[in-house]
């Protein structure tokens, strides 16, 4: 018992003298660690005469609790002292204004998608959601692009491990979903969403981008309706007077087909890297829905007609905000995300 009292006195004196956390850890090793003095005492209880063991065991455990509590209290005191020293040394200026929180912002692509949806909304278009993971059949076959058709090369994509299931290369397969859902009712929808292409990435082409498909089906829908809709859209999106150019083109799912360019805002139509020195930037493809596609959607092409278009909102944002590289949209550079829009 005398030994235990001496141990207690020594331990308490040394703990009071420990000035740093490291010193308290060394103290712990000396007294409470695996080979510490108190641990050894408790381990040696079995060597004591049987009648002394209970008393010695109780006293040993009591001392263990006492020392553990003392260690905890000492360490807290040292931490507190260290913090006070640091604060005093660094001289915290409590009158300094706080850090401004950074506010999130809608991504430029989504912002453009919303603007597009708003403009078409005013023209009576509803938003129709269709899947990004598509069947080969919807992405190609039902859009009049059978296996082996050369247009498939233009729209090479990413394939899943499930045969016949791919990432869509355009929003056009949504036309099939919408037609099959609404037939025989008239349709006036836009279908926004992400598309994927196995593309040589450049300032104008990314391998993931957005498109907004437009689809109108009804009786007596004409090419004039298509043109009027797109001119009205461009006037609202870019401001009255931005020149728009319709070029004849080819898409297997529209006939006739056009590509529509807007005057390049970056170079004031003088010619630059982005517009490939033409003064024009292609923003969309469009045309009258091909009779085979109408039929695949369930509509009788002798009775119904329709137009469709597919535009790239990133390209539109590039034109509107003078962005010279499409890759900025998805590289998460905060400076870009903060500046645009
Ligand atoms: C199509 O994807 C057709 N589905 C569009 C269409 C719909 C035509 C309905 C007729 C009727 P195209 O591959 O040209 O066509 O793409 C349309 C638009 O998407 C382009 O004008 C461009 O704005 C955008 N786009 C295409 N590829 C990329 C790309 N790699 N990166 C960014 N934008 C792209």
């Amino acid at each position: 018992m005398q030994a235990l009292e001496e141990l207690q006195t020594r331990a308490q004196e040394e703990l009071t003298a420990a000035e740093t956390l490291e010193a308290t850890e060394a103290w712990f090793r000396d007294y409470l660690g695996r080979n510490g003095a108190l641990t050894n005492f408790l381990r040696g209880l079995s060597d004591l005469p049987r009648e002394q063991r209970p008393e010695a065991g109780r006293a040993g455990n009591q001392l263990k609790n006492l020392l553990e509590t003392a260690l905890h209290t000492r360490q807290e005191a040292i931490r507190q002292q260290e913090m006070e020293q640091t604060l005093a040394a660094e001289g915290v200026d409590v009158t300094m204004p706080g850090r401004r929180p950074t506010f999130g912002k809608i991504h430029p692509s989504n912002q453009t998608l919303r603007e597009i949806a708003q403009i078409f909304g005013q023209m009576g278009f509803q938003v129709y959601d269709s899947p990004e993971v598509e069947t080969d059949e919807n992405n190609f076959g039902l859009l009049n692009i059978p296996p082996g058709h050369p247009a498939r090369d233009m729209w090479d994509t990413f394939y899943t491990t499930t045969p016949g299931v791919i990432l869509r290369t355009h929003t056009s397969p949504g036309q099939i979903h919408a037609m099959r859902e609404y037939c025989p009712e008239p349709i006036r929808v836009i279908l926004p969403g992400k598309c994927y292409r196995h593309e040589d990435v450049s300032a104008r082409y990314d391998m993931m981008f957005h498109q907004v498909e437009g689809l109108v089906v009804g009786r007596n829908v004409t090419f004039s309706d298509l043109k009027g809709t797109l001119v009205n859209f461009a006037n609202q999106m870019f401001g009255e007077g931005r020149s728009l150019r319709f070029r004849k083109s080819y898409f297997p799912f529209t006939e006739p087909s056009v590509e529509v360019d807007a005057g390049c805002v970056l170079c004031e139509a003088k010619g630059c890297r982005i517009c490939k020195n033409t003064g024009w930037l292609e923003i969309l493809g469009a045309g009258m829905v091909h009779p085979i596609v109408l039929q695949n959607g369930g509509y009788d092409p002798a009775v119904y007609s329709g137009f469709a278009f597919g535009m790239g909102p990133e390209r539109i944002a590039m034109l509107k905000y003078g962005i010279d590289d499409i890759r900025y949209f998805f590289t998460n550079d905060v400076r870009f995300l903060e500046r645009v829009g």
Side-chain angles (χ1 to χ4, degrees), residues 46-331:
S46 53
D47 300 333
L48 290 179
R50 183 176 269 281
E51 64 284 1
Q52 289 180 18
R53 280 185 216 161
E55 173 70 35
R58 208 173 305 116
N61 280 321
Q62 252 171 19
L63 181 57
K64 188 171 175 215
N65 287 340
L66 189 114
L67 291 186
E68 278 172 352
T69 311
L71 172 68
H72 183 71
T73 311
R74 183 71 193 124
Q75 285 181 328
E76 270 310 299
I78 293 172
R79 277 196 199 101
Q80 185 67 29
Q81 203 179 4
E82 281 179 356
M83 194 162 76
E84 274 162 20
Q85 275 166 1
T86 315
L87 288 179
E90 289 176 1
V92 171
D93 179 358
V94 290
T95 62
M96 233 165 81
R99 284 204 189 101
R100 261 177 196 284
T102 41
F103 290 104
K105 218 177 132 195
I106 310 266
H107 188 279
S109 294
N110 282 332
Q111 207 171 309
T112 314
L113 282 168
R114 288 184 184 191
E115 263 178 86
I116 295 172
Q118 199 192 359
I119 296 172
F120 281 104
Q122 284 165 2
M123 291 191 261
F125 285 73
Q126 291 184 319
V127 173
Y128 186 88
D129 274 330
S130 68
E132 283 174 33
V133 181
E134 262 297 1
T135 59
D136 184 282
E137 180 78 349
N138 284 337
N139 195 75
F140 296 119
L142 294 170
L143 293 174
N144 201 24
I145 317 173
H149 193 291
R152 286 191 176 224
D153 292 345
M154 212 163 68
W155 287 308
D156 192 16
T157 184
F158 300 95
Y159 297 82
T160 69
T161 44
T162 311
V165 177
I166 61 170
L167 299 190
R168 67 174 173 192
T169 51
H170 50 178
T171 40
S172 299
Q175 290 187 29
I176 300 291
H177 290 285
M179 283 196 274
R180 289 189 168 176
E181 183 172 336
Y182 287 122
C183 183
E185 298 298 320
I187 299 179
R188 200 188 294 173
V189 290
I190 56 167
L191 307 96
K194 291 196 191 80
C195 304
Y196 304 84
R197 287 190 194 176
H198 184 198
E199 196 84 87
D200 282 336
V201 171
S202 70
R204 281 155 50 99
Y205 294 94
D206 212 336
M207 51 153 220
M208 185 195 83
F209 55 96
H210 291 87
Q211 277 191 349
V212 178
E213 190 85 6
L215 175 68
V216 173
V217 179
R219 292 168 195 258
N220 305 318
V221 177
T222 66
F223 196 90
S224 304
D225 297 321
L226 167 63
K227 207 171 163 196
T229 305
L230 293 177
V231 168
N232 183 33
F233 164 74
N235 282 339
Q236 294 207 48
M237 191 73 192
F238 302 120
E240 297 280 335
R242 167 152 314 273
S243 35
L244 215 57
R245 181 171 79 167
F246 286 70
R247 273 182 295 116
K248 63 181 187 306
S249 185
Y250 170 75
F251 294 102
F253 35 90
T254 46
E255 180 58 38
S257 304
V258 285
E259 272 173 310
V260 179
D261 306 328
C264 182
V265 75
L266 294 163
C267 60
E268 294 295 337
K270 290 193 191 74
C272 68
R273 177 168 81 100
I274 302 308
C275 62
K276 287 198 195 144
N277 291 318
T278 60
W280 298 96
L281 195 63
E282 177 202 312
I283 53 167
L284 61 92
M288 299 305 292
V289 181
H290 195 289
I292 291 180
V293 178
L294 277 175
Q295 219 156 25
N296 288 339
Y299 289 86
D300 178 356
V303 180
Y304 293 93
S305 56
F307 68 75
F309 55 83
M311 61 177 69
E314 279 84 21
R315 294 269 181 85
I316 287 170
M318 285 168 84
L319 262 175
K320 189 162 169 160
Y321 301 115
I323 300 161
D324 66 358
D325 197 317
I326 199 166
R327 287 166 291 193
Y328 285 129
F329 284 90
F330 301 113
T331 37

